[in-house]
Amino acid sequence: MSTNAVPPTVSDVVAELERRYPPAWAEEWDRVGLVLGEPCAPVRRVLCVVDVVPETVAEALDAGVDMIVAHHPLLLRGVSSVAPTTYKGRIVHRLIKADVALYVAHTNADVADPGVSDALAARFGLTGLRPLHRPAPGSPAHGAGRGIGRIGELPEPMTLAELTRHAAAVLPATSWGVRAAGDPGRMVRTLAVSGGAGDGFLADATAAGVDAFLTADLRHHPAGEHLAADGPALLDAAHWATERPWLDDLAAILREAPGVETLVSDLDTDPWTVHAAPPAVDDKEPRP
């Protein structure tokens, strides 16, 4: 990369991101786009993160970045104040004082082709990809290849137990790990994946006839009812772990701009930080 290249501006980076992930593709409830930053400010270094939290903000400031590109919105719900006495207000103030721009690509990146779930599918080597949940006809995001989640074929069939161990190995490590629901010996050839919270797509996975569905944030009752209705086996990973793979694809896009250095945050921002497995069956037996 030439050191003499004129760096792009915040507006230039935004234009490239919105070419790949048009804001019109986002869900109506979502809040995507430029959150903070002067449009004319130069951008020489970018940090890609899943969550805008104090830890990733500190990482950005320590790295001297000019811009953060995040997956999850900082201001998804309305606020009446960004005073520094509030959690989100402190983040906003730190970024503004440091002249760090903030941009969000959320459900518009989820639905894109390639998007968040393509990066997740790549971790499993899935082939023959197709969307799990397609946008409604007539919606801005409707189009060939676009949609939430991906369905594909595993390189080699695995039992559910084997796939669960494999998922824990190929996904970013978290305290949550990966848990599964269903017959451990069930053979899995077709796998659906959806980055982030995915229990709203259980019916789509059933309708698609896949053998298993991997996502995050699965709840007790919907999962139990899904399995009782002979739905696909379920794998539940940490929310952060299912979306972190996309940051590598995002960084590759941003590196195409001359003069931009792009970093990826590997800080685990999943809120669950401690995991304790139950003792083995043999350990439960009284010892002489």
Side-chain angles (χ1 to χ4, degrees), residues 10-11 13-14 17-18 23 31-40 67-68 75 100-105:
V10 169
S11 288
V13 176
V14 168
L17 288 168
E18 295 190 348
R31 298 293 179 266
V32 301
L34 185 64
V35 181
L36 300 170
E38 291 287 348
C40 61
M67 188 173 190
I68 295 173
L75 303 174
V100 175
L102 171 61
Y103 185 90
V104 170

Side-chain angles (χ1 to χ4, degrees), residues 220-279:
H220 177 89
H221 293 295
E225 292 169 10
H226 165 88
L227 293 174
D230 295 325
L234 300 174
L235 294 95
D236 185 37
H239 193 122
W240 175 83
T242 63
E243 295 176 330
R244 162 59 185 84
W246 172 68
L247 298 185
D248 295 322
D249 292 355
L250 174 64
I253 291 170
L254 295 172
R255 289 187 187 116
E256 294 176 6
V260 174
E261 180 184 1
T262 308
L263 310 175
V264 173
S265 175
D266 277 315
L267 284 177
D268 176 4
T269 53
D270 193 70
W272 308 105
T273 57
V274 178
H275 174 85

Side-chain angles (χ1 to χ4, degrees), residues 39-67:
C40 61
V43 177
R44 296 178 178 85
R45 182 175 289 179
V46 178
L47 179 66
C48 302
V49 307
V50 173
D51 296 294
V52 185
V53 293
E55 292 80 4
T56 53
V57 169
E59 181 182 22
L61 299 189
D62 288 344
V65 307
D66 305 297
M67 188 173 190

Side-chain angles (χ1 to χ4, degrees), residues 97-218:
K97 286 182 177 179
D99 289 327
V100 175
L102 171 61
Y103 185 90
V104 170
H106 190 211
T107 53
N108 50 329
D110 288 331
V111 78
D113 177 27
V116 172
S117 290
D118 292 280
L120 179 57
R123 292 290 179 114
F124 294 88
L126 299 184
T127 57
L129 296 182
R130 62 188 191 277
L132 172 64
H133 178 85
R134 297 180 185 273
S139 71
H142 183 73
R146 292 196 289 273
I148 299 293
R150 292 294 181 265
I151 297 169
E153 300 279 337
L154 288 166
E156 298 290 339
M158 300 182 189
T159 65
L160 178 60
E162 291 169 338
L163 179 59
T164 305
R165 291 190 292 270
H166 181 63
V170 301
L171 291 177
T174 61
S175 296
W176 180 270
V178 180
R179 59 183 182 176
D183 178 1
R186 178 174 182 164
M187 294 304 301
V188 179
R189 295 173 177 83
T190 56
L191 177 65
V193 298
S194 185
D199 66 1
F201 307 111
L202 293 174
D204 295 280
T206 299
V210 298
D211 298 315
F213 176 34
L214 181 144
T215 187
D217 299 347
L218 291 175

